[in-house]
Amino acid sequence: MTGLAVGVRKKNWFRGRSWPVHGALILTTFLIGFPLAYAALIATQSNPDVFAFKLTPGDSLAQNFQDVWFGRNLGRYMWNSTVQSVLITVAKTILSLAAGLAFVYFRFKAKWIVFFFVLITLMMPTEVMILALFRLVSAFDWKDTMAALVVPFAASATGAFLFRQHFANLPNDLAEASQVDGASPLQFLTKVLIPLSWNTIGALAVIQFVYGWNMYLWPVLIISKQEAQVIQVGLQNLQGIDVGLTYGPLMLAALLASIPPTIVFILLQKPFMSGFSITADK
């Protein structure tokens, strides 16, 4: 006999104490944040400081910034990637909203077959289609243009599926009430569906912006002019500053390149998290 009521578990050294959980969280935070903090430290150092394993900030931050921003034109790469990512995000969001509207509220022949092919494209990586895309874009004479970076990726099967599922879970009374009021499909989309979908739009926008920002293989193939290249290719080119690999400028460029996606995530953090909560509830 332990003297405890039925359903009451005996207290041990772990139950009822919060410090083990806090300790595990602090350790996890340290493990995740250490590479970023070490990269920030290396960004201030020269190569001799790096090879000496100095754990104090160096005095080469200004020189490293001069090398990557003006010497290697990092600002131009970041601007190109920003324009590319914003255009891809906007295009994918608009087309995904239209696709979701069509799949849920419109009746047309072979709708389920079309939706099936959209789902099939979800399982196909970009690398499978890249040769066909290259031939198509070259035939349009779009090489070395922003259109070559944006147009082939303006539609998203993931976005179409996401909005199709979101709209399908909204009450049918909304569509019927809009029809009674004489609203057109475009008015129904802009005045009813979009105000109810900001969380889903925010989640999709964050995902697609990061997707566009991290593109590497396609820009390498389709862009040959350095002034039209994007940030990921620019970072690859930074590995050969001067006569060899210089870690300070490389780490500084990597940190600068991470700023725009971080800003987008911070600005859209609330709808991003709410969008995934809605998806999980469904």
Side-chain angles (χ1 to χ4, degrees), residues 20 29-31 90 123-124 132 138 152 154 173 177-178 193 204-205 207 216 220 226 228 230 246-247 259 270-272:
T29 303
F30 176 78
L31 292 176
V90 172
M123 307 171 194
M124 297 175 64
S138 299
D173 296 345
S178 297
L193 293 180
L204 181 67
I207 294 172
Y216 175 78
V220 166
Q226 285 301 310
V230 297
T246 48
Y247 292 96
I259 292 176
K270 187 176 180 180
F272 178 77

Side-chain angles (χ1 to χ4, degrees), residues 106-215:
F106 281 73
R107 295 179 181 176
F108 54 90
K109 292 182 178 179
K111 181 168 74 172
W112 287 106
I113 296 177
V114 175
F115 185 63
F116 173 76
F117 279 106
V118 171
L119 293 181
I120 289 293
T121 61
L122 279 174
M123 307 171 194
M124 297 175 64
T126 304
E127 289 76 10
V128 174
M129 304 178 289
I130 204 160
L131 180 58
L133 284 177
F134 181 81
R135 289 177 175 174
L136 184 63
V137 171
S138 299
F140 286 133
D141 198 20
W142 284 353
K143 292 183 69 175
D144 296 325
T145 66
M146 185 57 68
L149 295 173
V150 174
V151 175
F153 304 95
S156 168
T158 304
F161 177 74
L162 187 66
F163 282 110
R164 188 265 176 199
Q165 296 302 105
H166 176 62
F167 292 160
N169 284 277
L170 295 178
N172 290 328
D173 296 345
L174 294 173
E176 295 171 359
S178 297
Q179 287 180 341
V180 171
D181 291 340
S184 65
L186 183 60
Q187 290 174 323
F188 177 57
L189 175 65
T190 56
K191 296 184 178 180
V192 178
L193 293 180
I194 289 180
L196 294 173
S197 307
W198 285 121
N199 291 336
T200 308
I201 293 172
L204 181 67
V206 172
I207 294 172
Q208 298 304 336
F209 186 89
V210 174
Y211 171 79
W213 188 264
N214 289 334
M215 270 192 184

Side-chain angles (χ1 to χ4, degrees), residues 45 174 279:
Q45 296 178 344
L174 294 173
T279 304

Side-chain angles (χ1 to χ4, degrees), residues 240-255:
I241 289 181
D242 295 333
V243 294
L245 183 61
T246 48
Y247 292 96
L250 188 61
M251 291 297 105
L252 179 60
L255 292 175

